[in-house]
Amino acid sequence: MIEQYVLDLQEVDETQVAVVGGKGAHLGVLSRIEGIRVPGGFCVTTDAFRRIMAEAPSIDDRLDQLSRLNPDDREAIGTLSARIRRTIEGIAIPGDLAAAITRALAQLGEQAACAVRSSATAEDLPTASFAGQQDTYLNVVGPTAILRHVSRCWASLFTERAVTYRQRNGIDHRTVHMAVVVQQMVFPHAAGILFTADPVTGNRKVATVDAGFGLGEALVSGLVNPDVFKVRDGEVVAKAIAAKQRAVHALPDGGTREVAIDSQRQEQPALTDAQVVRLVQLGRRIEAHFGRPQDIEWCLVDDGFQIVQSRPITTLFPIPETGDQENHVYVSVGHQQMMTDPMKPLGLSVWQLTAMAPMYEAGGRLFVDATRRLATPASRAALLDVMGRGDPLVRDALETVLDRDDFVPSLPDADPGGPPARGASAPIGTDPIETDRAIVMELIERSRASIAALERDIRTKTGPALFDFLLEAFEEHKRVLGDPLNMRAIMAGMEATWWLNDKLEEWLGEKNAADTLTLSAPDNVTSQMGLALLDVADVIRPRSEVVAFLQGVEDENFLDELAGLAGGTEARDAIEGYLDRYGMRCVGEIDITRPRWRERPTTLVPVILDNVRNFEPGAAERRFEEGRQKAQKKEQDVLSRLRALPDGDRKADEAKRMIDRVRTFIGYREYPKYGIVSRYFVYKQALLAEAECLVRADVLSEKEDIFYLTFQELHDVVRSNQVDDQLIQQRKDAFRSYHALTPPRVLTSDGEAVTGAYRRDDVPAGALTGLPVSAGTIEGRARVILDMAEADLEAGDILVTAFTDPSWSPLFVGIKGLVTEVGGLMTHGAVIAREYGLPAVVGVERATRLIRDGQRIRVHGTDGYVEILP
């Protein structure tokens, strides 16, 4: 293969990222778009970079050292990357390579002023922009200076920030190469950045233009505040003109300098409204060509715009695809299910196939389209009521969208005389379900029987027949979930809770009284799961050899090794018994691809050891009994206070009926999720068995590759014995990129991520506002834990985390309070916090970043805020 060191921009297209890097490829494409002007120039290709790297074999060893460093070890990365840069800059450019660059430069004019820009192969990509990671040099004049700055661009592949960015994004340093773009320098009247979607809200219909005088470097470096224009539908809809005191100008002999702007010009706009609209039109043309919103650097020269760079905006949350041009309002499923991390394609598709409502995927997350329910007055009121009780931020975000009269269509109620929406103050007895624990027992037994039949019948199914069977199993799955009695039992407990909280606050002035009344409610499989791990700790605690062994466990096969220790057989049996009942659970369990405790039992070891250290024998039974007695005492207190009121006997009788209803049904609230996850583990084991067959047949490289296929795609692979390896790799790259995205609670089809607000004035200054879900006030040490497997809790700690699904409940037995970023009144973490009597505040935006691990905090679980103490 003949090496090619230089390519004119006009010769370059999007297929040549490996040759000219992301920036070079984009500029080549831009130069071909009709009506888009790009300064002329050429690319020094990655062949040239590889030639230079080959001149210094010592770099190989240093790259090995670099790849082993922790991304957080800034000092070591800084030292090693500086050595690599010095080595590259010290390599003399071979004569033939220098001659090729000089010949290309002559086409621009040998003494022409140029911009010399780095263009890495992992840059300006759809999933990672690498914006600002490498270097750009402006107004470089003459061949000698150009060659020197080309070397600097090569070396800038190893700036500390670029190295750290790659390490954090899991990108191998050896797979990234550096090209260099050399372009004719333009000397603009004004320059800046155009975002074809609003970078703050994500709205794809609003473009934002930042503009300043002189070179764009003044804006990029933060030297001046830009003028900011917002454009929608070909019209400037908002603008803020800044006082631009300085600008960066080019010097005649090369380089740039800051200059002061005449005081009379400082507050003049850098662009007219007409120019802004014209610029946005060019941006829309570029966006249409690349098929996604763009971050565009532009220059205004003689009333004409030149484009010097365009890259995808990678921070925008994607929009669900519907195939129509209608307005849609989407509500996040992850915020309801306490799992806002991205899900892999198999996890997304299985949840969609087993969910009770249609769901749309975007950014590795699922959303429900709420547009139709928001369109009519009755369904809108019901939806806002349910959402508000679950998560006030979702309700507020929906109301924000509804306030824009033109976005959601307004339709009449289908049946104006229909039943009223369910609410907390619905009359007692409107639901015919009896307050009878036998109903709960019957529902649990139905679920157990259905899962047992699934486990029995799936054993003989393989190949395409397995997938046909699973599609039928998914229908049975939905039938069990949608059983009217199941739904009524869930709602009975929730509505009784709402009734008690509303009525007891109205009658007695007491907030969240139901929190105490639900302590140690029976039949709660999630709280039982936490207490059962205390019983496991009781078995292990007296066996010192086992405790010492568990402290060093890393291998998932540790259970097999326990039998060789004194007391190890009993310890293994206790852990195995726990896994038999709860081993299908894990963090993020709505994603079938997540490793279950049965698959990764080491996850439980830190929690078991915390329980061994922090509790006395018999703690589980004591905790449950203490809670039951507190609830009983609270019931007696509430009823006696009610009877002392006017019309007190009626109020007390109604409250008693609701207390009985809460204690009968609220524990069952957790069981349907347990049933779902139990089924998921059965599905997963069968699908992984199929994956092992595909690996043995050399169809797949590894069995977990199936996680990057949808259920239907996997079905097709099993039928055809063929797989698209490139598709799997693309899905892996996309999944990795989704971790950097923050899913919004509410998302519109315009791409706007709508953030709700609590709108409260009863929170002390400096406190963090959230939703009160479990009453009481507690002070203690904050333990910020993002991975349950890394838990290290002491008695009295307060758990601060992003979200908690049922798998976190074993940690709840050892803490005194709970703070989460995501959650609602009836989500799992809130239910278990109440059952254990833990003061809890959920929905605290950015709690894991605003509260530092080890800080003392005060959690106001009754009033819904958190104070950070001095």
Side-chain angles (χ1 to χ4, degrees):
M1 188 180 88
I2 299 173
E3 291 176 329
Q4 197 165 15
Y5 296 134
V6 173
L7 285 174
D8 191 276
L9 276 180
Q10 295 286 330
E11 301 175 75
V12 172
D13 63 29
E14 61 264 40
T15 66
Q16 292 169 284
V17 171
V19 179
V20 296
K23 190 176 297 172
H26 269 74
L27 285 168
V29 175
L30 284 166
S31 68
R32 287 184 167 83
I33 301 173
E34 187 179 348
I36 304 299
R37 293 170 59 199
V38 175
F42 60 90
C43 297
V44 182
T45 69
T46 53
D47 283 345
F49 174 76
R50 278 189 286 268
R51 170 98 177 263
I52 293 298
M53 294 290 277
E55 298 278 329
S58 64
I59 289 178
D60 262 353
D61 293 338
R62 287 176 181 166
L63 289 180
D64 286 338
Q65 293 172 45
L66 205 55
S67 64
R68 290 193 291 269
L69 293 177
N70 185 311
D72 295 322
D73 191 345
R74 292 190 59 183
E75 187 176 348
I77 287 175
T79 302
L80 192 50
S81 58
R83 281 188 199 145
I84 294 172
R85 289 197 305 277
R86 282 197 299 271
T87 301
I88 293 171
E89 288 187 42
I91 297 169
I93 298 178
D96 59 332
L97 175 49
I101 296 171
T102 305
R103 277 196 301 275
L105 192 56
Q107 300 294 312
L108 301 178
E110 197 165 283
Q111 293 303 310
C114 293
V116 183
R117 300 171 180 271
S118 307
S119 179
T121 54
E123 183 177 48
D124 294 351
L125 303 180
T127 56
S129 78
F130 285 76
Q133 299 308 313
Q134 284 92 33
D135 291 344
T136 288
Y137 302 95
L138 300 178
N139 200 29
V140 183
V141 180
T144 303
I146 296 281
L147 290 171
R148 185 168 66 251
H149 285 85
V150 167
S151 286
R152 287 183 179 174
C153 283
W154 287 330
S156 76
L157 189 65
F158 298 99
T159 60
E160 182 181 333
R161 63 184 182 272
V163 167
T164 303
Y165 190 96
R166 286 196 295 274
Q167 304 232 144
R168 289 194 193 285
N169 283 276
I171 296 170
D172 184 346
H173 301 297
R174 295 174 190 281
T175 63
V176 185
H177 301 115
M178 180 67 83
V180 180
V181 176
V182 180
Q183 274 181 294
Q184 203 148 20
M185 186 72 191
V186 291
F187 302 99
H189 162 74
I193 300 164
L194 159 64
F195 298 96
T196 63
D198 189 314
V200 177
T201 67
N203 194 322
R204 308 311 201 260
K205 292 188 176 177
V206 176
T208 301
V209 175
D210 289 2
F213 294 123
L215 293 167
E217 194 64 21
L219 304 188
V220 174
S221 65
L223 180 65
V224 297
N225 290 325
D227 296 340
V228 179
F229 302 84
K230 293 193 180 293
V231 177
R232 182 176 183 130
D233 298 328
E235 182 183 346
V236 175
V237 293
K239 60 182 169 182
I241 306 304
K244 301 169 288 296
Q245 296 176 340
R246 307 189 71 75
V248 174
H249 285 177
L251 293 168
D253 297 327
T256 61
R257 70 181 172 114
E258 293 176 24
V259 296
I261 294 176
D262 185 277
S263 59
Q264 294 184 344
R265 274 187 76 215
Q266 286 178 8
E267 296 193 23
Q268 289 180 4
L271 296 177
T272 66
D273 283 9
Q275 287 171 329
V276 169
V277 170
R278 185 149 46 93
L279 174 61
V280 170
Q281 288 170 344
L282 295 175
R284 292 288 180 222
R285 194 175 296 179
I286 294 168
E287 177 185 66
H289 186 90
F290 286 114
R292 58 186 299 148
Q294 297 287 302
D295 164 355
I296 298 166
E297 292 182 24
W298 56 269
C299 296
L300 178 66
V301 185
D302 300 328
D303 200 38
F305 287 102
Q306 298 205 30
I307 305 302
V308 294
Q309 190 166 334
S310 182
R311 64 170 73 90
I313 307 176
T314 58
T315 55
L316 297 176
F317 199 87
I319 306 171
E321 291 182 15
T322 56
D324 64 37
Q325 298 303 309
E326 303 295 319
N327 287 349
H328 295 272
V329 182
Y330 301 101
V331 176
S332 163
V333 172
H335 285 81
Q336 314 300 315
Q337 291 293 334
M338 300 301 94
M339 214 294 274
T340 54
D341 288 348
M343 295 167 67
K344 296 189 178 86
L346 186 64
L348 290 164
S349 63
V350 170
W351 189 263
Q352 286 171 307
L353 287 165
T354 54
M356 302 304 290
M359 293 183 180
Y360 300 86
E361 184 273 331
R365 280 79 169 188
L366 290 170
F367 294 85
V368 171
D369 188 346
T371 319
R372 288 188 67 83
R373 291 192 64 188
L374 291 170
T376 63
S379 63
R380 180 189 311 138
L383 180 65
L384 291 175
D385 182 56
V386 171
M387 290 295 175
R389 292 183 180 284
D391 184 340
L393 294 177
V394 172
R395 176 177 182 142
D396 190 77
L398 291 173
E399 288 177 331
T400 300
V401 177
L402 288 167
D403 286 344
R404 300 166 192 161
D405 295 335
D406 59 341
F407 195 83
V408 176
S410 188
L411 303 173
D413 286 329
D415 179 9
R422 286 190 180 213
S425 299
I428 303 175
T430 54
D431 189 326
I433 193 170
E434 297 174 51
T435 301
D436 183 355
R437 187 162 175 250
I439 294 171
V440 172
M441 294 296 96
E442 180 189 342
L443 285 166
I444 290 173
E445 186 48 44
R446 283 188 200 176
S447 178
R448 284 177 180 160
S450 178
I451 292 167
L454 171 67
E455 290 173 330
R456 181 189 67 237
D457 296 343
I458 204 169
R459 287 182 193 135
T460 58
K461 305 295 189 291
T462 59
L466 170 66
F467 290 82
D468 295 337
F469 172 82
L470 282 172
L471 287 171
E472 291 176 15
F474 295 164
E475 293 307 309
E476 165 68 2
H477 179 127
K478 288 193 281 188
R479 188 196 65 73
V480 171
L481 273 183
D483 180 337
L485 187 62
N486 180 53
M487 301 307 293
R488 281 161 52 204
I490 293 170
M491 289 308 299
M494 291 168 65
E495 290 182 344
T497 302
W498 298 338
W499 189 97
L500 283 165
N501 279 335
D502 284 359
K503 289 298 186 184
L504 295 182
E505 185 168 5
E506 178 189 335
W507 292 338
L508 299 176
E510 184 173 344
K511 288 183 180 179
N512 302 331
D515 294 358
T516 307
L517 294 167
T518 55
L519 288 170
S520 298
D523 307 313
N524 189 320
V525 69
T526 305
S527 61
Q528 289 166 0
M529 178 171 69
L531 296 173
L533 207 58
L534 288 175
D535 292 335
V536 173
D538 285 354
V539 175
I540 289 169
R541 189 178 294 104
R543 296 168 166 85
S544 57
E545 199 175 328
V546 172
V547 173
F549 169 77
L550 290 178
Q551 286 167 342
V553 156
E554 291 181 359
D555 189 340
E556 298 299 345
N557 297 318
F558 74 93
L559 289 169
D560 296 336
E561 300 172 45
L562 279 172
L565 306 176
T569 301
E570 294 84 349
R572 183 192 63 196
D573 290 348
I575 297 172
E576 286 281 5
Y578 186 86
L579 291 172
D580 286 343
R581 179 132 198 235
Y582 303 112
M584 77 295 287
R585 309 219 80 150
C586 67
V587 173
E589 60 195 10
I590 69 169
D591 182 352
I592 196 173
T593 73
R594 289 280 191 115
R596 311 284 136 175
W597 291 343
R598 170 55 79 183
E599 297 167 312
R600 196 174 287 175
T602 53
T603 306
L604 294 173
V605 171
V607 192
I608 293 171
L609 290 172
D610 283 346
N611 289 349
V612 166
R613 184 174 66 247
N614 295 331
F615 292 93
E616 296 295 319
E621 190 175 344
R622 263 197 318 280
R623 285 284 297 272
F624 188 81
E625 183 55 26
E626 284 168 8
R628 195 187 65 76
Q629 288 183 16
K630 279 184 187 174
Q632 195 172 41
K633 185 178 175 185
K634 182 68 174 179
E635 177 182 333
Q636 292 165 355
D637 171 60
V638 163
L639 296 179
S640 67
R641 287 160 62 199
L642 286 174
R643 287 195 180 98
L645 298 175
D647 197 17
D649 286 344
R650 178 188 64 81
K651 289 173 179 172
D653 288 348
E654 288 186 354
K656 171 61 175 165
R657 287 170 63 194
M658 282 309 202
I659 291 168
D660 289 347
R661 177 166 284 218
V662 161
R663 291 199 66 79
T664 299
F665 291 113
I666 199 63
Y668 180 70
R669 164 75 179 80
E670 292 295 297
Y671 198 87
K673 184 74 169 281
Y674 177 76
I676 291 170
V677 176
S678 298
R679 291 173 181 280
Y680 267 28
F681 193 44
V682 179
Y683 305 154
K684 182 179 187 180
Q685 288 173 305
L687 291 171
L688 283 174
E690 283 301 306
E692 285 171 358
C693 295
L694 293 169
V695 170
R696 287 196 297 271
D698 291 329
V699 176
L700 290 179
S701 300
E702 51 190 51
K703 65 180 182 179
E704 292 192 352
D705 281 352
I706 66 167
F707 296 161
Y708 297 94
L709 300 170
T710 66
F711 181 84
Q712 186 55 56
E713 287 166 348
L714 179 53
H715 191 177
D716 293 340
V717 169
V718 169
R719 271 200 298 250
S720 67
N721 262 4
Q722 291 183 318
V723 71
D724 184 344
D725 291 325
Q726 195 172 359
L727 175 67
I728 288 175
Q729 188 54 53
Q730 286 170 356
R731 296 268 177 83
K732 287 180 178 179
D733 293 341
F735 178 71
R736 191 184 301 116
S737 74
Y738 293 153
H739 283 278
L741 299 174
T742 301
R745 283 176 165 82
V746 171
L747 178 69
T748 73
S749 49
D750 285 353
E752 186 177 3
V754 189
T755 305
Y758 284 107
R759 307 190 193 284
R760 290 171 52 186
D761 54 12
D762 59 343
V763 174
L768 308 179
T769 308
L771 177 66
V773 296
S774 185
T777 301
I778 190 74
E779 285 185 22
R781 179 179 69 155
R783 291 309 319 271
V784 180
I785 298 173
L786 300 178
D787 182 349
M788 184 176 153
E790 294 174 5
D792 181 15
L793 294 164
E794 300 289 344
D797 283 348
I798 297 170
L799 174 63
V800 180
T801 190
F803 55 80
T804 61
D805 58 12
S807 70
W808 285 77
S809 61
L811 291 185
F812 284 24
V813 298
I815 59 175
K816 295 297 184 189
L818 173 70
V819 178
T820 68
E821 295 178 340
V822 176
L825 193 61
M826 297 309 297
T827 49
H828 302 278
V831 171
I832 303 308
R834 288 194 289 273
E835 190 146 321
Y836 286 168
L838 304 174
V841 180
V842 303
V844 180
E845 293 276 79
R846 299 172 59 235
T848 60
R849 282 168 280 183
L850 295 173
I851 300 171
R852 292 197 310 275
D853 187 52
Q855 276 186 316
R856 286 195 66 78
I857 62 174
R858 183 182 296 129
V859 178
H860 295 262
T862 305
D863 295 311
Y865 62 90
V866 180
E867 292 180 284
I868 299 174
L869 302 176

